[in-house]
Amino acid sequence: PGEQQVAVAPFLQGRVRQQSASGVGRHRHADPCHPDLRLLTMSERFAFTIDATDGAARTGRIAMQRGTIRTPAFMPVGTAATVKAMKPETVRKTGADIILGNTYHLMLRPGADIVRDLGGLRGFTGWNGLSLTDSGGYQIFSLHPTVDDDGAVFRSTYDGSTHRLTPEGAATVQADLGADIQMVLDVCPGLPATDHVLRRAVERTAVWAARGRGAFLAHPDAAGRQSQFGIVQGGVDPVLRAESTRRTLEVGFDGYAVGGMSVGESRDEMLEPLAVVTSMLPSDQPRYFMGLGDPAGLVEVVGRGIDMFDCVLPTRHARHGTVLTTGGRLNLRNARFATDDLPLDPAFPASPAARWSRAYLRHLLMIDEPTGRRLLTLHNLAWLLDFVDRLRAAIHEGRFEEFRSETLAVWG
């Protein structure tokens, strides 16, 4: 009500920002291929509210059509449309607002068309929270496909067949998967990398961002039910990071991600270029650090203005017997836990595994009983999501630096 109608030029010419009464930006993106498609304002399908700040750290909410994400937010990874060994409602009970699915794996098995026809990820899996799909860009780092200016040719890890993924194809596949947030296809180089490799990744990522955004907006209905995030690349070079940020902003997205970090560099190496990126990003849109889940890393990136992150760390650690606790990591396979009757973390009595002793859970691991891996996964997810709960509270109460220092003393 009362919103001014604005004529918007095609999206590549930039974006129009209207300031609402609360000061939060609203964005309208033109759809030159579907001029009759109703364009939703940012506030109608995706509204980001900052509730409190403490330095650069901030806490707030992302309100979407199908739910709300509390930020900072950790997203458990459900690569193949499931968090390993977990029922959807069990993951929800650990405190997760949103989970991540993998575009590359889902387009191969079971296939994006099957997921689409069975209700998208929400209907297919029974997960009643929000979801985000990555674009396949990480697989450019991990699977070493053939990459050219048009896209990437992957070999299936399942049957050896080859598949080409382009920015347009990634947007279409993710529209079929139906997550609440989809990511634009990018080029994610491993680190360390030469200047030539990083510059080419930045260039292709910028061009692909425009192509992916165009395909998203031209899709018959994706822009009415999904949001799309752009991705910044550039390795640990602050100049390249600034260039990639500027070019991604020129395209215009609903939120912005920092990609190509936590892929081989040290934490100290990533912090300066990260600060360059977050200083340039709009304060009224979410910022997502891709592929990070250790407590020390989380407090460091939140301290530089990051709102979202994902990682396989808690679930992968659990499957290998590593437990997250208030006092740090425990390797439960260590013989010293064979007769230990303490719970996994006495300081976290709310753990879903609190009723069982370290000795019993170690026994399950040592005999390769799936129940052991499942219980450790439950604990690690609940512990890390509780950690993020406490992180949000620290920001809200103005004691983020104290929380950061305490975390680094244990995990740093």
Side-chain angles (χ1 to χ4, degrees):
E3 182 180 276
Q4 180 184 0
Q5 297 300 307
V6 179
V8 184
F11 79 99
L12 288 177
Q13 297 177 20
R15 61 187 181 176
V16 172
R17 173 173 298 178
Q18 296 173 280
Q19 293 299 321
S20 67
S22 65
V24 176
R26 296 179 178 181
H27 305 268
R28 290 183 178 271
H29 298 283
D31 183 354
C33 300
H34 294 80
D36 57 339
L37 180 66
R38 189 171 82 90
L39 300 181
L40 301 179
T41 64
M42 175 77 84
S43 60
E44 286 176 308
R45 61 179 171 80
F46 187 98
F48 179 46
T49 302
I50 298 173
D51 294 327
T53 61
D54 188 359
R58 61 220 205 134
T59 183
R61 291 157 287 136
I62 304 171
M64 306 189 73
Q65 290 173 310
R66 299 193 292 194
T68 299
I69 306 165
R70 297 162 294 167
T71 64
F74 175 76
M75 297 181 283
V77 175
T79 298
T82 182
V83 177
K84 285 186 184 293
M86 297 290 102
K87 295 189 296 183
E89 58 267 31
T90 305
V91 176
R92 195 78 160 118
K93 287 178 181 177
T94 64
D97 296 329
I98 179 171
I99 61 174
L100 180 144
N102 185 286
T103 294
Y104 164 81
H105 288 283
L106 291 171
M107 77 177 191
L108 296 179
R109 293 197 316 189
D113 55 341
I114 291 176
V115 176
R116 178 197 64 215
D117 294 345
L118 293 175
L121 285 173
R122 192 180 184 93
F124 184 56
T125 65
W127 166 253
N128 67 359
L130 297 170
S131 59
L132 177 150
T133 44
D134 65 6
S135 63
Y138 182 76
Q139 277 64 46
I140 291 178
F141 157 69
S142 63
L143 299 180
H144 309 292
T146 301
V147 182
D148 56 33
D149 288 342
D150 182 59
V153 177
F154 296 89
R155 187 171 294 278
S156 169
T157 57
Y158 303 114
D159 61 13
S161 59
T162 57
H163 302 265
R164 174 171 283 276
L165 189 62
T166 65
E168 296 85 357
T172 300
V173 167
Q174 291 181 86
D176 285 345
L177 294 175
D180 300 279
I181 301 171
Q182 65 158 272
M183 305 300 298
V184 74
L185 184 64
D186 64 322
V187 178
C188 176
L191 297 177
T194 66
D195 183 70
H196 172 71
V197 168
L198 292 176
R199 286 184 178 279
R200 186 167 59 179
V202 166
E203 178 63 29
R204 281 181 173 156
T205 293
V207 174
W208 289 8
R211 289 169 54 191
R213 187 62 173 165
F216 175 77
L217 295 174
H219 189 277
D221 65 0
R225 56 186 171 83
Q226 293 183 299
S227 296
Q228 188 185 43
F229 282 21
I231 302 175
V232 173
Q233 287 292 340
V236 294
D237 185 325
V239 175
L240 286 178
R241 282 286 170 182
E243 177 186 342
S244 184
T245 305
R246 176 182 58 79
R247 295 180 70 177
T248 307
L249 288 169
E250 286 173 355
V251 176
F253 290 92
D254 301 311
Y256 296 92
V258 181
M261 287 187 175
S262 198
V263 290
E265 80 286 4
S266 69
R267 189 186 307 141
D268 288 342
E269 286 179 305
M270 81 180 185
L271 293 178
E272 179 188 355
L274 173 62
V276 170
V277 175
T278 55
S279 71
M280 296 175 66
L281 292 177
S283 62
D284 61 352
Q285 290 177 270
R287 304 159 179 171
Y288 166 27
F289 192 108
M290 306 180 78
L292 187 68
D294 69 285
L298 297 189
V299 294
E300 292 288 44
V301 301
V302 167
R304 287 156 179 83
I306 292 293
D307 306 299
M308 303 166 64
F309 19 78
D310 75 280
C311 196
V312 297
L313 179 142
T315 50
R316 180 174 289 170
H317 271 1
R319 294 195 301 275
H320 291 87
T322 298
V323 182
L324 307 180
T325 77
T326 307
R329 292 184 182 87
L330 296 182
N331 179 0
L332 205 59
R333 294 182 181 274
N334 192 301
R336 69 188 177 96
F337 297 116
T339 59
D340 192 334
D341 64 353
L342 288 174
L344 292 175
D345 185 356
F348 181 42
S351 168
R355 60 177 289 192
W356 294 285
S357 69
R358 295 171 176 176
Y360 176 66
L361 294 170
R362 179 184 184 275
H363 161 70
L364 296 181
L365 284 175
M366 299 307 289
I367 64 171
D368 202 26
E369 165 55 49
T371 303
R373 295 191 296 274
R374 182 177 180 275
L375 290 173
L376 294 193
T377 299
L378 266 172
H379 167 84
N380 278 0
L381 280 177
W383 188 92
L384 191 56
L385 288 159
D386 178 75
F387 173 85
V388 176
D389 269 345
R390 292 184 283 117
L391 170 57
R392 287 192 292 262
I395 297 170
H396 200 272
E397 295 165 9
R399 49 181 184 83
F400 170 73
E401 280 303 321
E402 176 186 347
F403 185 88
R404 172 181 170 274
S405 296
E406 293 171 352
T407 300
L408 293 178
V410 175
W411 295 90

